[in-house]
Amino acid sequence: MTIRLTVAQALVRFLAVQFTERDGERRRLIGATWGIFGHGNVAGLGQALVEYADDMPFHQGRNEQAMVHAAVGYARQSNRLATHAVTTSIGPGATNLVTGAALATINHLPVLLLPGDVFATRPADPVLQQLEVPHAADVSVNDTLRPVSRFFDRVNRPEQLIPSALAAMRVLTDPVETGAVTLALPQDVQAEAYDWPEEFFAERVWTVRRPGADPVELAAAVQAVRTARRPLVIAGGGVHHSRAEAVLAEFAAATRIPVASTQAGKGSLRWDHPQDVGGVGHTGTATADELARTADLVIGVGTRYTDFTTASGTLFENPDVRFLNLNIAPYDGHKLAGLPLVADARSGLTELRKALDGHRTADSYVTEYTEDKERWEQRVDACYEADEPDVRPTQPQVLGALDALVDETDVLVNAAGSLPGDLHRMWRARSHDQYHLEYGYSCMGYEIPAAIGVKLAAPERNVWALVGDGTYLMMPTEIVTAVQEGIAVKVLLVQNHGYASIGGLSESVGGERFGTAYRFTSDDGTFTGAPLPVDLAANAASLGMRVLRAKTVRDLRTALAEARAADTPTCVYVETETADTVSGPPPAQAWWDVPVAETATRSSAVKARELYERHVSTRRRHL
């Protein structure tokens, strides 16, 4: 039996019946499609989405990159068991997907991209928005998506869709290979009819694997843990992807090994778990970083060991340090010359705990990190406290006001600027999915659309997009989408008149904060006068969002409570006290490598280079 449909119609019907299953939980894989229509997709996928509106929910976006961010937010909140598709026209609509695709692939989060493409039959050459490449007639702008996609295909014939669509689903549901998947769809092929086998539209379930550990690798891992005196677990995003948080908590309690976390892994343990020591690396806590410096065994669970985690190769100072890497991806399992334990995080931790058979770290080690953690929490309390409620808050006090309000059901979304450092060091994660930081790509503009995606995946939760003014100006457009669809996200907009994070970094590396502030400047680039008369609160209101302005700590507390109770999209706007500083104490507890000019005449750069060379001299290769 066959069914005659266009390629676009067949694709929509196929996507509507794809499911994932893990641990008995079954989810629809493609929960909805986002779209902005143009001449490359309006008559193909646009018509198909109207034809099968009952089978495929649709969300109207305002920016193609933002649509990918929303899909990624949905995918992460869904533990990678579900995601969204994104369709665009050809030309700029397609190339706008590249940043979002890179973010998805770097973070191992699934998203399906369906950009329109130029005519496969070439009835006119070139067509509107076509890139002409004289030496390669088969190239279009969609080829920019190849390096940032885990799977890419251009569907030039109807029958090609069958193997291509199946391969796309395989990659989207593969816990190792997942990321952005791109099916480029020439606009004439989208509208072409074909006789499809009925089996193509049967429900299909893709099982998400939980591979266990190899016995030889497991035995080596057990030996490494048993002989370590100062072991430290570093929990990465793989803990969340695997839903291994409860097993990690049991492992930590049984062995009493402290657990630090990367940005992607924060929340793997609740902040008040006895073994949780907070974030690690350049944005980590003093407790976690000191443990990392003296650790003789680092047990990485689901982490990629980025430079922020390793302090650019300077953090793990113990000359005898070894690494044990529990990771479902062999590529990451072998990093830092570590012992690989290639397995699903939950399966691997379960097997490792059983094999250790009651092994525990020394009492003295437990006492040491417990006391250090208590001292760190006192520092956080001091940063959060606001003794004078009628003054403008600092950025840490903004977080403190939010910390005092939320419970384990709230979700915080952030990605770039100075907020990630403050959050990683100070935020007290109350649930496994409260802390939603995108720091693999650290993409400004991610927060608001991603918060929409999170809210679509968890409509019962309070979802907060935390943005500075620089990030807000990158991509506020999806506020309109939230208003249109009644998606009650909360936006906490912090105004500090510029790129605060990069301004602080610029000063530290001899750049003298050049080009990092929103202020009137003189001809020589120095700051003069007041900040620019830009009203971002009015901008958010003009896009349809309810805006609550807070001038003082007291105002802020009231506004946050009102926003949290709101059932419509609501923004809390607050100007912070220290406009020209990164975020106030506590400062970074470890280094991060940003090369400084080797030669310069300005004293700021000369001094910065001297400090840089001292740090570089401490870097080591773990071989």
Side-chain angles (χ1 to χ4, degrees), residues 352-369:
L352 185 58
R353 180 174 64 84
K354 290 180 179 178
L356 285 169
D357 191 26
H359 172 78
R360 307 178 83 193
T361 57
D363 291 344
S364 59
Y365 188 45
V366 176
T367 299
E368 175 189 332
Y369 68 70

Side-chain angles (χ1 to χ4, degrees), residues 424-457:
H424 198 206
R425 280 189 286 270
M426 295 190 294
W427 187 257
R428 291 159 171 165
R430 294 160 171 79
S431 66
H432 73 272
D433 61 352
Q434 180 176 78
Y435 188 87
H436 183 124
L437 260 284
E438 187 290 297
Y439 217 60
Y441 208 41
S442 187
C443 185
M444 297 176 71
Y446 172 81
E447 294 88 342
I448 294 174
I452 291 172
V454 172
K455 186 69 173 176
L456 288 171

Side-chain angles (χ1 to χ4, degrees), residues 211-221 340-343 351:
D214 177 85
V216 174
E217 291 185 351
L218 180 61
L341 185 59
V342 179
E351 292 175 291

Side-chain angles (χ1 to χ4, degrees), residues 531-605:
L532 292 175
V534 175
D535 190 342
L536 299 184
N539 176 265
S542 75
L543 298 177
M545 183 166 256
R546 180 187 180 202
V547 177
L548 306 173
R549 294 176 183 259
K551 294 183 178 180
T552 67
V553 173
R554 191 189 307 277
D555 292 342
L556 177 63
R557 292 168 179 163
T558 301
L560 289 173
E562 188 173 346
R564 188 172 186 268
D567 58 3
T568 58
T570 304
C571 172
V572 175
Y573 173 88
V574 60
E575 185 174 358
T576 52
E577 174 64 28
T578 51
D580 290 330
T581 63
V582 175
S583 58
Q589 304 296 306
W591 185 59
W592 180 46
D593 188 353
V594 178
V596 177
E598 192 168 359
T599 61
T601 58
R602 299 178 73 89
S603 61
S604 59

Side-chain angles (χ1 to χ4, degrees), residues 501-514 580-582 604 608:
S501 175
I502 294 301
L505 178 62
S506 171
E507 186 172 47
S508 71
V509 297
E512 302 177 33
R513 294 183 177 267
F514 177 76
D580 290 330
T581 63
V582 175
S604 59

Side-chain angles (χ1 to χ4, degrees), residues 31-257:
T33 295
W34 288 84
I36 296 176
F37 294 110
H39 71 93
N41 65 342
V42 66
L45 276 168
Q47 190 282 326
L49 287 165
V50 172
E51 188 90 10
Y52 296 107
D54 292 339
D55 299 321
M56 178 60 67
F58 176 75
H59 300 298
Q60 181 183 11
R62 268 73 191 180
N63 178 283
E64 291 86 357
Q65 177 184 321
M67 294 193 298
V68 185
H69 293 337
V72 167
Y74 181 91
R76 177 168 169 176
Q77 186 65 30
S78 302
N79 296 307
R80 304 195 301 183
L81 299 178
T83 187
H84 285 162
V86 177
T87 178
T88 70
S89 65
I90 66 176
T95 52
N96 280 350
L97 296 173
V98 174
T99 297
L103 180 148
T105 296
I106 285 171
N107 286 282
H108 298 293
L109 291 166
V111 62
L112 177 61
L113 308 180
L114 304 173
D117 212 326
V118 296
F119 286 78
T121 54
R122 303 180 190 174
D125 195 28
V127 296
L128 178 64
Q129 298 180 326
Q130 180 177 341
L131 171 70
E132 292 187 273
V133 181
H135 66 275
D138 62 339
V139 171
S140 79
V141 295
N142 284 342
D143 287 273
T144 60
L145 288 160
R146 287 182 183 271
V148 293
S149 297
R150 297 299 292 177
F151 178 81
F152 178 98
D153 198 7
R154 180 176 284 112
V155 181
N156 288 313
R157 291 288 307 146
E159 57 267 36
Q160 183 186 342
L161 178 64
I162 294 176
S164 183
L166 291 170
M169 299 305 103
R170 174 188 60 78
V171 175
L172 286 172
T173 58
D174 188 312
V176 176
E177 295 298 322
T178 194
V181 168
T182 300
L183 299 182
L185 303 170
Q187 60 175 310
D188 52 345
V189 177
Q190 289 182 46
E192 187 174 346
Y194 182 74
D195 293 323
W196 304 90
E198 195 174 50
E199 294 82 2
F200 187 53
F201 306 112
E203 287 191 3
R204 193 177 302 267
V205 178
W206 301 83
T207 300
V208 179
R209 298 185 299 277
R210 282 198 184 279
D214 177 85
V216 174
E217 291 185 351
L218 180 61
V222 170
Q223 177 65 16
V225 176
R226 286 189 177 278
T227 57
R229 290 178 171 272
R230 300 184 63 84
L232 172 68
V233 170
I234 294 182
V239 175
H240 293 309
H241 296 330
S242 175
R243 285 307 313 271
E245 300 93 353
V247 173
L248 175 62
E250 293 169 2
F251 175 87
T255 62
R256 303 194 302 182
I257 298 174

